[in-house]
């Protein structure tokens, strides 16, 4: 939806997803791309499940739908995905964010 809590990420976090603009090796580049993608007023995100899968790794299962910030405002039908968050053992910040989606 374009909203995220930046303070839990390392500035050099590695972001990857099925998106053609991925991977990205910078929190700022990811935030810039996210900000220009979804219309937050017409988009929604639902956290389905959050579980720890290793001492420094968490998986979030989620559902997303909305409208893109393109001139014709295309609608993105609801889809689900998972994000694996890997946490740096020294900084305790997310150093790797890897998404998988139910749609291509």
């Amino acid at each position: 939806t374009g909203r995220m809590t930046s303070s839990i990420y390392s500035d050099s976090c590695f972001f990857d997803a099925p998106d053609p603009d991925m991977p990205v090796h910078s929190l700022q580049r990811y935030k810039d791309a996210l900000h220009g993608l979804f219309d937050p007023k017409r988009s929604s995100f639902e956290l389905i499940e959050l579980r720890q899968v290793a001492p420094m790794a968490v998986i979030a299962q989620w559902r997303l739908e909305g409208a893109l910030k393109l001139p014709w405002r295309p609608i993105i039908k609801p889809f689900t995905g998972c994000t694996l968050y890997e946490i740096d053992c020294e900084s305790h910040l997310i150093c790797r964010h890897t998404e998988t989606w139910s749609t291509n």
Side-chain angles (χ1 to χ4, degrees), residues 44-58:
S44 65
F45 172 88
E46 175 189 359
L47 179 63
I48 298 168
E49 181 183 14
L50 187 64
R51 69 182 185 279
Q52 187 170 0
V53 294
M56 300 302 278
V58 174

Side-chain angles (χ1 to χ4, degrees), residues 1-4 17-19 22 30 33-35 37-49 60-68 74-83 85 97 99-104:
T1 61
R3 295 177 290 249
M4 69 181 291
D19 187 298
M22 295 291 198
Y30 184 75
L34 206 57
H35 177 73
L37 187 60
F38 281 96
D39 178 349
K41 294 177 186 171
R42 298 178 58 203
S43 303
S44 65
F45 172 88
E46 175 189 359
L47 179 63
I48 298 168
E49 181 183 14
Q61 183 180 2
W62 45 264
R63 181 178 296 111
L64 177 66
E65 65 181 299
L68 297 181
I75 301 298
I76 303 298
K77 294 179 183 178
F79 69 97
T80 58
C82 288
T83 304
Y85 300 100
H97 169 126
E99 296 181 10
T100 56
W101 304 339
S102 64
T103 184
N104 293 333

Side-chain angles (χ1 to χ4, degrees), residues 26 32 54-55 58 89 91 100-101:
S26 156
D32 290 347
V58 174
C89 62
S91 69
T100 56
W101 304 339

